[in-house]
């Protein structure tokens, strides 16, 4: 009897109208479905954006060279990327403040405990981003994308350890190129998983606030790199010496890629990020055929097939939400 009374009891809707419990359940179900659809749309947009941005990233780095050399300072380029990402985060945060007001989860003020976790991934990303410029002395853009797939191994292992989750040009690459690729993969894998752990440790925290503090430390570490490596050149020739239109495009690409990565980590996970960058391998190769005369070999197609199959297995292997 009591259950019957509760079941048939009228429930007041947010706008003051009376709804039966059945109607209320239907309304909540519809709201949940809309929210799920919105989340899926967010994941799809940021994943596709990351794939496109990553596929053009290596191409722009190679394209920014002149006679096989960088005429600009790579440390200043990295600093510019972090500064632009920080600015974009502030702009997005300002829009959030205008629409939602300043809340506990989107205010910039923070505690020492919260901000103390950001220097580690910021330092790792700084070293990894510098290495990606130097590795192009030994490999071309498509080979670089293949070597980046070492991230899948390092990320999978680190996922298991940190987050407790399961989860032919290349063959001719000199030993130095392989060593750089391995170091990059380890740094990228650890930094990616560590950053995701930070972001998801406080899910309600606004992603732009989290990005802001990460990029602030990124700017600090890259400023140190400038002082150590290119201080005299910057002081004598200027901060933007040797920059071209392609260089600025490359910086914009890196900045947007960084924002897209953080969004993937927030709304999906780091494994999705890794596979998204892997799919970019094929796009990079196709564009490189027209820009740099890259030859599509059988080995490359076999590698692309392996990546595509792994993407499919990863997607179908995820547990589906209960309806």
């Amino acid at each position: 009897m009591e259950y019957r009374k509760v079941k048939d009891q009228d429930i007041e809707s947010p706008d003051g109208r009376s709804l039966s419990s059945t109607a209320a359940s239907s309304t909540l179900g519809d709201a949940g479905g809309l929210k799920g659809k919105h989340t899926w749309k967010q994941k799809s947009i940021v994943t596709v954006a990351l794939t496109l941005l990553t596929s053009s990233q290596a191409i722009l780095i190679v394209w920014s060279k002149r006679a096989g050399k960088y005429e600009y300072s790579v440390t200043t380029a990295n600093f510019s990327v972090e500064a632009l990402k920080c600015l974009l985060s502030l702009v997005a945060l300002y829009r959030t403040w205008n629409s939602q007001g300043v809340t506990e989860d989107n205010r910039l003020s923070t505690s020492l405990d919260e901000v103390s976790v950001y220097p580690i991934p910021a330092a790792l990303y700084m070293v990894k981003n510098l290495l990606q410029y130097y590795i192009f002395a030994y490999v071309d853009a498509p080979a670089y994308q293949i070597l980046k797939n070492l991230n899948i191994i390092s990320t999978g292992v680190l996922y298991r350890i940190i987050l407790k989750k399961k989860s032919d040009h290349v063959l001719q690459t000199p030993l130095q190129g392989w060593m750089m690729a391995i170091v990059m993969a380890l740094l990228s894998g650890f930094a990616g998983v560590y950053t995701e752990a930070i972001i998801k440790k406080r899910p309600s925290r606004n992603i732009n606030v989290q990005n802001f503090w990460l990029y602030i430390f990124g700017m600090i570490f890259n400023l140190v790199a400038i002082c150590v490596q290119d201080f005299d050149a910057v002081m004598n020739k200027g901060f933007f010496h040797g920059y071209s239109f392609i260089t600025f495009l490359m910086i914009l690409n890196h900045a947007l890629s960084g924002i897209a990565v953080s969004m993937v980590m927030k709304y999906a996970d780091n494994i999705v990020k890794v596979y998204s960058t892997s799919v970019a391998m094929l796009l990079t190769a196709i564009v490189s055929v027209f820009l740099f005369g890259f030859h599509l070999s059988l080995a490359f197609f076999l590698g692309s097939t392996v990546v595509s199959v792994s993407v499919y297995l990863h997607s179908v292997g995820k547990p589906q939400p209960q309806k």
Side-chain angles (χ1 to χ4, degrees), residues 7-59:
K7 183 178 180 180
D8 294 337
Q9 181 181 356
D10 287 346
I11 300 175
E12 188 175 281
S13 66
D15 59 1
R17 294 181 299 173
S18 179
L19 297 173
S20 67
S21 59
T22 303
S25 299
S26 177
T27 301
L28 291 174
D30 292 342
L34 290 174
K35 182 178 180 181
K37 185 177 181 181
H38 179 66
T39 302
W40 177 87
K41 185 177 181 180
Q42 285 181 319
K43 289 182 180 181
S44 301
I45 291 174
V46 295
T47 303
V48 170
L50 180 61
T51 302
L52 295 176
L53 289 167
T54 304
S55 63
S56 57
Q57 195 172 86
I59 293 172

Side-chain angles (χ1 to χ4, degrees), residues 14-263:
D15 59 1
R17 294 181 299 173
S18 179
L19 297 173
S20 67
S21 59
T22 303
S25 299
S26 177
T27 301
L28 291 174
D30 292 342
L34 290 174
K35 182 178 180 181
K37 185 177 181 181
H38 179 66
T39 302
W40 177 87
K41 185 177 181 180
Q42 285 181 319
K43 289 182 180 181
S44 301
I45 291 174
V46 295
T47 303
V48 170
L50 180 61
T51 302
L52 295 176
L53 289 167
T54 304
S55 63
S56 57
Q57 195 172 86
I59 293 172
L60 288 173
I61 293 178
V62 174
W63 207 356
S64 69
K65 286 184 174 182
R66 292 293 181 271
K69 295 181 180 180
Y70 300 112
E71 295 184 352
Y72 58 90
S73 165
V74 296
T75 55
T76 62
N78 269 350
F79 178 87
S80 300
V81 169
E82 297 300 316
L84 182 55
K85 289 191 292 187
C86 191
L87 177 61
L88 291 174
S89 297
L90 282 176
V91 171
L93 193 57
Y94 179 75
R95 294 182 60 185
T96 300
W97 289 338
N98 281 341
S99 61
Q100 302 176 11
V102 179
T103 66
E104 182 67 26
D105 289 324
N106 66 28
R107 64 180 58 188
L108 278 179
S109 58
T110 183
S111 64
L112 181 60
D113 288 338
E114 181 182 1
V115 79
S116 64
V117 298
Y118 291 107
I120 295 176
L124 294 175
Y125 279 127
M126 185 268 295
V127 178
K128 175 257 179 186
N129 289 336
L130 285 177
L131 280 176
Q132 74 179 354
Y133 289 96
Y134 300 127
I135 196 173
F136 283 106
Y138 306 98
V139 301
D140 52 26
Y144 168 77
Q145 291 288 18
I146 295 178
L147 290 173
K148 279 185 66 177
N149 289 321
L150 291 170
N151 289 354
I152 295 177
I153 300 175
S154 62
T155 300
V157 173
L158 291 167
Y159 232 69
R160 181 71 174 176
I161 296 174
I162 297 178
L163 296 182
K164 310 299 182 185
K165 292 184 179 181
K166 296 181 179 179
S167 76
D168 57 300
H169 269 283
V170 179
L171 297 178
Q172 299 172 2
T173 299
L175 178 62
Q176 299 95 318
W178 274 104
M179 294 303 296
M180 285 187 181
I182 292 172
V183 172
M184 278 180 57
L186 291 173
L187 291 176
S188 180
F190 183 80
V193 176
Y194 191 91
T195 303
E196 183 181 339
I198 293 173
I199 291 175
K200 291 186 174 178
K201 183 178 181 181
R202 187 176 172 185
S204 61
R205 189 66 155 139
N206 186 281
I207 183 63
N208 296 302
V209 175
Q210 294 172 314
N211 282 342
F212 173 82
W213 288 111
L214 177 62
Y215 302 149
I216 283 292
F217 283 102
M219 292 171 62
I220 293 173
F221 286 123
N222 279 285
L223 188 60
V224 172
I226 292 174
C227 294
V228 171
Q229 182 172 324
D230 297 312
F231 181 79
D232 290 338
V234 171
M235 293 300 295
N236 294 330
K237 299 180 181 179
F239 189 92
F240 296 107
H241 174 75
Y243 278 49
S244 64
F245 177 70
I246 299 299
T247 309
F248 285 109
L249 279 182
M250 180 195 69
I251 291 172
L252 178 61
N253 175 283
H254 277 66
L256 294 177
S257 297
I259 297 293
V261 166
S262 66
M263 293 298 179

